[in-house]
Amino acid sequence: MKLTFDDVLIVPKFSNINSRSEVDLSVNPRGMPYLKLPILSANMDTVTGPKMAQAMILAGAQAVLPRFGSIDDNVKAFQESVIGGTGSIQAPMVSLGLGDHELLRAKALMSAGASTFVIDVAHGAQLSVVEQVQALRKIIGHERGIIVGNFATGASVEDFLQHFGCDIDGVKVGIGPGSACTTRIKTGVGYPQLSAIMDVVKSLKNYRATYGKIKVIADGGMRTAGDIAKAIGAGAHLVMLGGMLAGTEESPGEIVYFTESRQTTKDELFAKRKNADGTFDYVIHSPEESFYEIKKKYRGSASQESYLAQGKTAKHRTTEGESFLVPFKGPVANILQDIEGGLRSAMTYVGARSIEDFQSKCEFVEISPSTVAENGAHGKRNA
Ligand code: 5GP
């Protein structure tokens, strides 16, 4: 039986860690920036733009910029995301698709200072991706990093590497687990995400001498800090998040206001009043509308809406993603802090001081549906 996050719990173990602050969450992967927090924001147009990239980098995490706009817009977004001046810049990772045009994108982004390139297609285990890696390596040399995705099994990663040798720095794992993804429904294809991670990690370990430096990025399906702890405990070095970071202040897109009866805007809903000290208060116009919700859009990169924005036609292609509104969540730093706290705590529960230590000590117990019901604050449900 193959498993996903809800099917397991991490087994607590004897620990000699006195404080969560003793736990080190950093990773230093070859071909990628050093990270204090092993989290990447997804290369989706409603998740990562310059504001998100900067916030992620400032928090010690990283971002992957989407590739859907023109090359010029992509370079501009990259330049706006960079933190620091000449000499010591901190820059986000960038993504590429297949074909010659995407190699031009790579050249332009490299000239702007990009040093980690994510070749991101729905199905990484295909010959055209191998060819793209070879062409990209010729352009960017061996000092810069290449990550390839997505994969869902160790066997498909091994097949890929056998075609190409070991000249990549990371693989991205996840076919169909994403929170805006409908691939499994539309095609029947997929692999339970926790097992997919374990399977790829195991394959790379079997070939440690050759492939030991290749890092595994768990991409999609994580809804809580606990899921992230499970992904990392299963062997992922980094996780990529879409839905968990969508709807934040820094994610691209408009904030939408809903009252009980209508969709509206901040300006329509509130009057702006200047206080004596020069600050502003927002005062609601109509008391009947004092109950309102604030939301932002999250959309799958293969959704109808994204296809339209990217100018893609739907011939021979079905949509494999959805778009919907998610609650506004405030600054992304709060979410990252929550994840960091959860991860530190998980590692303390198994007595692990580093990510590597955590991965060697982490053991899972499979659970039944009644244990799933026991998880979470179920007292509230029964009250
Ligand atoms: P989440 O964190 O929301 O569960 O998953 C984010 C991941 O879902 C992305 O990094 C990407 O791999 C995947 N994804 C994004 N959009 C789509 C889509 O439209 N279709 C599919 N199949 N996967 C998507």
Side-chain angles (χ1 to χ4, degrees):
M1 179 79 102
K2 301 299 174 186
L3 306 167
T4 195
F5 303 114
D6 276 351
D7 297 322
V8 301
L9 288 168
I10 297 169
V11 181
K13 292 188 170 167
F14 183 80
S15 173
N16 60 2
I17 298 175
N18 297 321
S19 156
R20 290 179 181 86
S21 64
E22 290 173 32
V23 171
D24 177 8
L25 298 175
S26 67
V27 284
N28 197 5
R30 184 186 68 180
M32 298 176 224
Y34 166 85
L35 290 108
K36 280 204 309 212
L37 191 60
I39 296 173
L40 306 177
S41 64
N43 46 313
M44 299 170 72
D45 64 1
T46 50
V47 177
T48 306
K51 268 169 85 180
M52 178 63 84
Q54 290 204 342
M56 293 299 286
I57 292 170
L58 286 172
Q62 257 293 342
V64 186
L65 287 176
R67 62 177 158 88
F68 305 121
S70 69
I71 293 179
D72 283 351
D73 286 349
N74 207 169
V75 168
K76 208 164 135 233
F78 177 81
Q79 285 163 337
E80 285 170 17
S81 305
V82 168
I83 294 178
T86 34
S88 65
I89 65 158
Q90 285 179 285
M93 304 183 187
V94 295
S95 52
L96 305 172
L98 299 180
D100 291 344
H101 182 258
E102 295 298 294
L103 296 173
L104 295 178
R105 187 187 296 279
K107 278 183 191 156
L109 287 163
M110 183 176 77
S111 302
S115 58
T116 307
F117 298 80
V118 183
I119 297 181
D120 186 40
V121 294
H123 181 41
Q126 47 166 317
L127 199 57
S128 49
V129 179
V130 173
E131 287 162 2
Q132 190 74 338
V133 174
Q134 286 168 328
L136 180 62
R137 203 37 107 191
K138 286 198 186 112
I139 294 169
I140 67 169
H142 293 271
E143 295 299 303
R144 298 181 181 84
I146 301 180
I147 296 165
V148 183
N150 277 14
F151 297 91
T153 68
S156 64
V157 171
E158 283 177 39
D159 285 345
F160 182 91
L161 293 172
Q162 265 153 26
H163 269 99
F164 184 58
C166 60
D167 209 2
I168 58 171
D169 302 283
V171 290
K172 209 147 66 73
V173 176
I175 304 275
S179 63
C181 166
T182 55
T183 293
R184 293 181 185 177
I185 311 301
K186 289 290 187 82
T187 69
V189 174
Y191 204 91
Q193 181 68 337
L194 189 74
S195 287
I197 298 164
M198 289 174 171
D199 202 46
V200 171
V201 167
K202 193 167 148 220
S203 276
L204 291 174
K205 269 195 187 143
N206 286 343
Y207 291 86
R208 184 172 273 286
T210 328
Y211 303 137
K213 292 260 166 57
I214 297 177
K215 295 290 184 261
V216 174
I217 299 164
D219 176 21
M222 287 151 282
R223 301 145 304 172
T224 59
D227 289 346
I228 295 170
K230 290 171 188 174
I232 292 177
H237 304 91
L238 299 162
V239 300
M240 176 175 265
L241 305 177
M244 281 186 80
L245 308 180
T248 52
E249 214 165 280
E250 293 83 356
S251 62
E254 296 300 309
I255 295 181
V256 194
Y257 288 73
F258 285 93
T259 68
E260 263 178 1
S261 57
R262 62 181 182 136
Q263 177 180 335
T264 180
T265 61
K266 190 172 184 176
D267 289 342
E268 257 183 39
L269 195 59
F270 297 96
K272 198 173 172 186
R273 260 196 222 142
K274 196 169 182 180
N275 299 319
D277 61 1
T279 59
F280 287 98
D281 272 340
Y282 287 91
V283 186
I284 203 141
H285 274 306
S286 150
E288 300 87 71
E289 295 189 329
S290 61
F291 175 79
Y292 61 90
E293 287 179 299
I294 316 177
K295 299 191 174 193
K296 272 182 113 166
K297 177 68 64 68
Y298 179 48
R299 67 184 183 199
S301 305
S303 64
Q304 181 69 24
E305 210 182 290
S306 280
Y307 280 165
L308 285 174
Q310 295 162 33
K312 277 185 185 161
T313 52
K315 209 177 172 202
H316 300 305
R317 189 197 275 279
T318 172
T319 57
E320 290 183 26
E322 287 189 353
S323 44
F324 44 88
L325 290 161
V326 295
F328 179 66
K329 299 173 190 157
V332 72
N334 294 352
I335 291 172
L336 294 176
Q337 201 178 5
D338 204 43
I339 295 171
E340 179 172 347
L343 208 45
R344 282 182 187 281
S345 189
M347 288 165 67
T348 309
Y349 273 115
V350 302
R353 283 173 199 280
S354 68
I355 299 271
E356 228 180 12
D357 197 18
F358 182 46
Q359 289 168 340
S360 70
K361 288 179 176 159
C362 185
E363 218 181 290
F364 293 108
V365 57
E366 278 179 52
I367 59 175
S368 68
S370 43
T371 308
V372 175
E374 187 183 65
N375 297 343
H378 51 275
K380 206 167 138 196
R381 278 201 298 274
N382 300 333

